[in-house]
Amino acid sequence: MGAGLYFMAMSWTCPNCDRELPWADYRHYCQRVDLNSLFEGRSPELELVFDKILAEVSDWPKVLVGVTPNCIVFTRRVGFLIIRPMKKWLDVKFYSKMTHPEKPVIKSVAAGKKFANHIRLTSLDDLRPALFKYIRESYDLP
């Protein structure tokens, strides 16, 4: 896990943290953080769930992946997917045009002109096609 976190050459690399970003002066957490540190004390299955999401989403065009002290941020023009490793689950946040009141979404709140939605993943069994459909819709938002 953690090899090759920046997948597509973009327009600007931060001179302080060497993080590739969508454009010059893009607001970001400006320190290097080891991805593996976010999974210390977590179950190996949570790492595997994350790795499966990473393998799928990182292949999409123009996706950048950045690591902060608390989460992994997937960016295209803006952040479209945020994964926060918790003790017993991954909190997966994605965006949509409308609210998602149904399961597996546990929370859907207005965030500007879109909605921030949260799903908790605890095992590989939670990785369903609908999850990747939601993430892709978030990726495709203007």
Side-chain angles (χ1 to χ4, degrees), residues 26-27 60 71-84 91-100 102 105 107-119 130-142:
Y26 186 87
R27 192 173 139 220
W60 298 351
C71 63
I72 303 99
V73 180
F74 293 74
T75 307
R76 186 172 164 203
R77 293 176 301 273
V78 296
F80 68 91
L81 173 64
I82 299 167
I83 299 177
R84 183 179 307 269
D91 179 74
V92 176
K93 180 166 80 170
F94 63 93
Y95 298 92
S96 61
K97 289 181 183 177
M98 60 182 102
T99 186
H100 279 286
E102 73 281 354
V105 175
K107 180 168 71 171
S108 186
V109 295
K113 294 182 179 182
K114 52 191 173 185
F115 291 86
N117 306 280
H118 293 261
I119 293 176
L131 173 67
F132 290 102
K133 180 178 175 241
Y134 291 150
I135 295 170
R136 187 63 188 217
E137 288 170 0
S138 183
Y139 167 88
D140 288 333
L141 283 176

